[in-house]
Amino acid sequence: MASRQVVWLRLDAPAKPAPGLPCNGCGVCCAAAPCPLSRLLLKHRAGPCPALEWADTRYRCGLLQAPRRHLSRLPAWAEPGFRRLARRYLAIGHGCDSLATTEEDP
């Protein structure tokens, strides 16, 4: 029997895409559990990622959008390299890899 978890997201957030489809910024994966990068750098172990941010009409990773807001010791000159490495580490742009389901899922 699968356990249930309640996560709170904005009503106007996009619906979660099926695994493998492009990320649309629904925020479900980051609200359900911290990613490996959040665990490593922010020492966050459970619950919604503290770097999950709402911008425009979707959720975004604050570690990618504004790394120094979450990593105060990161020098400004290192931001571009950090973003490149974080995108690769998190496989940003390679499709949804969250197996979480939502009440809207069939």
Side-chain angles (χ1 to χ4, degrees):
M1 182 170 138
S3 66
R4 292 183 56 116
Q5 177 185 9
V6 175
V7 296
W8 297 98
L9 297 169
R10 292 178 55 110
L11 286 173
D12 52 345
K16 184 192 171 300
L21 292 180
C23 174
N24 65 2
C26 73
V28 170
C29 58
C30 300
C35 72
L37 200 58
S38 177
R39 290 176 192 224
L40 176 69
L41 299 176
L42 303 178
K43 309 296 186 216
H44 190 71
R45 300 288 178 239
C49 178
L52 180 61
E53 299 178 355
W54 180 259
D56 301 319
T57 59
R58 59 184 282 168
Y59 284 99
R60 298 182 188 271
C61 175
L63 287 172
L64 292 174
Q65 296 299 114
R68 295 180 65 219
R69 181 174 27 228
H70 301 281
L71 305 170
S72 59
R73 293 186 176 194
L74 183 71
W77 61 264
E79 273 194 62
F82 174 82
R83 283 191 177 113
R84 277 192 306 278
L85 290 173
R87 281 188 183 285
R88 181 178 297 163
Y89 183 72
L90 296 175
I92 302 294
H94 292 280
C96 178
D97 64 355
S98 174
L99 299 178
T101 58
T102 63
E103 287 183 4
E104 292 81 23
D105 291 342

